[in-house]
Amino acid sequence: PFMDKEKIIYRGIAERVFLEAKKGVPHSKGNDWVPINTEYLKTVYDDLVTSEGVSVLFFSTMAAVEMKQEGVVDAIVVANKAGLTAYKAKLFIDCTGDGDLATWAGAGFDMGDEEGNVQQGTLCFSLSNIDPYEFSLVGSVHTNRKDGPIHKMLDSGKYNLIKDNHINDKYAGPGYLMFNAGHVTVDSTDPVSLSKAMMAGRKVARQFQEGLAEYEPKVFASSYLASTASLMGIRESRRIKCDYTFTLDDWLARKEFEDGIGRNAYYIDVHKSNATTYPRYGKGESHGIPFRSLLPIGLKNVFVAGRCISTDHYAHGSLRVMPPCLVTGEAVGVAAGQICRSKSPDVHNVDIKQLRNRLQQVGQLL
Ligand SMILES: Cc1cc2nc3c(=O)[nH]c(=O)nc-3n(C[C@H](O)[C@H](O)[C@H](O)COP(=O)(O)OP(=O)(O)OC[C@H]3O[C@@H](n4cnc5c(N)ncnc54)[C@H](O)[C@@H]3O)c2cc1C
């Protein structure tokens, strides 16, 4: 959701992406919980980056970080079809979700709750050939539908890989439903865990298709498991320790910051069986996102953006989602532009007033 229930609050590049992506789902009304047409969005992103002259390298993994001195990254080593290549830069922006770059450069991090348990992951999937007319009569198979098939599937005991009643469906195109459903325990910083989770997620998706066909046959009897996601859906991994850690108390207080670089209104959405729930914000309510939460302690030339920024476990449940990730990404991009000409740039010395002015000029809501 891009709204504070009154207006779009994630502006700048985030709003551009949102409004462009929306054209791919013309059947969807309103600006909240808009489904994504993934094939359409891929080309939105391709056009956005190439129109700005960005060089893109697909199928490439950062495999190592080389330091110039303590706290200063000299180069990243990338593995791809060209073998290993080192890329030097004055500044680096870590958007790996897991904070790989910052961690390997020596930044501290937190992960999960007090016991180190992270939120559950989900391998998203899609079903094609569902009956559109019958689906329009039921509207959804979401968890909240009391007579929905998920509850019958769980009661039956037949679908043993489906741990709980988590199921979100979105009508993305003709006869085509996309699912964020099922929970898989995964540590995305561990390649073995990640690989096992992918395979588990594929089996979970199959069980969903079979269970839905059994318990909502009018809609799903002829459905077809069209795809599972190409990446494991990771909700939480490392949260890099930065100059400021945004906390649950900050979220509850709707806190404002002098170094705020954007707004956030998303609720505390923690996918864990024993998670505490908190009341959602009311209409027009939001909090500020502090720039200091994007500046890793002890690193001079690395910014973090996206879900690996500095928060506590519960606040992460709010700031981890796509709109605030886009906003933090744009803020560090602008900040990098501001300081990249200096000989040895320091991310902790960005002129905040200038940054906020520039963000306001590109439409960001502060
Ligand atoms: C199942 C599920 C449903 C969700 N639903 C919603 C929703 O409805 N609305 C919403 O707003 N948010 C939702 N979210 C949250 C949101 O999708 C993520 O939190 C968000 O995508 C995080 O963005 P990010 O760019 O920080 O990280 P990611 O999306 O994880 O992207 C990180 C990227 O970095 C790449 N990468 C990682 N390590 C390396 C490396 N070493 N070298 C090179 N590349 C690397 C990864 O391949 C990936 O492409 C959902 C999340 C999940 C898992």
Side-chain angles (χ1 to χ4, degrees):
F2 276 71
M3 309 271 290
D4 65 359
K5 300 192 179 89
E6 282 179 349
K7 60 188 174 303
I8 292 177
I9 58 162
Y10 308 89
R11 303 273 180 84
I13 292 174
E15 187 177 20
R16 271 169 72 191
V17 168
F18 173 68
L19 295 176
E20 273 307 308
K22 234 185 124 191
K23 294 177 189 165
V25 284
H27 61 285
S28 174
K29 305 289 173 234
N31 281 333
D32 240 350
W33 295 106
V34 175
I36 290 171
N37 175 338
T38 51
E39 291 311 314
Y40 193 90
L41 180 58
K42 285 174 193 175
T43 56
V44 169
Y45 280 135
D46 290 348
D47 289 346
L48 194 61
V49 290
T50 52
S51 67
E52 296 293 336
V54 174
S55 302
V56 178
L57 285 182
F58 288 130
F59 316 117
S60 302
T61 300
M62 181 188 59
V65 169
E66 290 184 353
M67 304 298 288
K68 191 179 273 180
Q69 63 199 60
E70 199 180 326
V72 181
V73 176
D74 186 38
I76 57 166
V77 178
V78 170
N80 58 20
K81 284 297 286 177
L84 296 178
T85 309
Y87 289 90
K88 279 176 177 267
K90 269 192 193 170
L91 286 164
F92 295 84
I93 299 176
D94 184 343
C95 292
T96 59
D98 299 325
D100 285 358
L101 196 164
T103 304
W104 297 346
F109 63 87
D110 294 307
M111 194 156 154
D113 57 19
E114 307 81 57
E115 277 94 47
N117 296 318
V118 291
Q119 292 191 49
Q120 295 282 296
T122 296
L123 187 67
C124 293
F125 60 91
S126 60
L127 299 182
S128 63
N129 206 39
I130 63 135
D131 188 305
Y133 176 71
E134 292 293 342
F135 184 73
S136 74
L137 298 181
V138 294
S140 169
V141 289
H142 190 276
T143 313
N144 292 343
R145 216 185 99 200
K146 293 285 175 273
D147 67 338
I150 182 64
H151 307 295
K152 295 171 193 156
M153 285 160 66
L154 291 174
D155 289 346
S156 77
K158 281 196 265 181
Y159 300 100
N160 61 331
L161 299 177
I162 300 174
K163 294 183 190 175
D164 53 43
N165 61 18
H166 168 60
I167 181 166
N168 278 286
D169 55 328
K170 282 281 173 204
Y171 197 80
Y176 190 77
L177 269 189
M178 296 180 66
F179 286 85
N180 159 14
H183 281 141
V184 177
T185 304
V186 55
D187 172 357
S188 61
T189 64
D190 171 2
V192 175
S193 169
L194 199 52
S195 304
K196 283 185 179 162
M198 283 300 285
M199 290 191 262
R202 287 172 194 149
K203 287 192 174 150
V204 168
R206 269 182 62 174
Q207 288 204 347
F208 268 105
Q209 189 279 325
E210 287 160 14
L212 290 169
E214 179 172 358
Y215 289 107
E216 193 103 304
K218 286 185 176 171
V219 180
F220 293 103
S222 303
S223 67
Y224 176 77
L225 180 56
S227 73
T228 54
S230 52
L231 293 179
M232 187 66 209
I234 301 298
R235 292 192 172 81
E236 181 182 15
S237 58
R238 299 188 193 104
R239 307 186 309 272
I240 301 299
K241 288 190 176 170
C242 293
D243 289 351
Y244 186 86
T245 299
F246 184 88
T247 64
L248 173 64
D249 284 341
D250 294 336
W251 186 90
L252 290 168
R254 285 90 168 139
K255 198 160 173 178
E256 298 297 338
F257 297 91
E258 283 184 4
D259 63 337
I261 46 82
R263 316 290 312 163
N264 177 47
Y266 191 63
Y267 70 104
I268 303 284
D269 182 8
V270 174
H271 288 240
K272 226 174 45 175
S273 56
N274 56 352
T276 312
T277 53
Y278 294 90
R280 300 183 188 201
Y281 282 4
K283 265 188 182 178
E285 290 186 321
S286 59
H287 67 78
I289 306 172
F291 181 59
R292 283 163 297 156
S293 296
L294 319 177
L295 313 176
I297 295 170
L299 297 184
K300 275 192 166 177
N301 66 340
V302 177
F303 293 101
V304 289
R307 67 176 164 82
C308 56
I309 67 169
S310 204
T311 63
D312 68 16
H313 176 59
Y314 272 92
H316 174 271
S318 169
L319 275 165
R320 69 184 174 85
V321 292
M322 290 181 273
C325 286
L326 289 163
V327 166
T328 55
E330 180 163 17
V332 294
V334 172
Q338 260 177 237
I339 60 170
C340 69
R341 272 176 208 87
S342 79
K343 207 163 171 235
S344 52
D346 185 342
V347 297
H348 305 273
N349 287 337
V350 171
D351 180 334
I352 301 294
K353 200 167 166 227
Q354 198 186 338
L355 172 66
R356 282 167 51 94
N357 279 343
R358 174 73 186 135
L359 288 171
Q360 269 178 324
Q361 276 167 25
V362 297
Q364 202 52 265
L365 206 61
L366 303 186

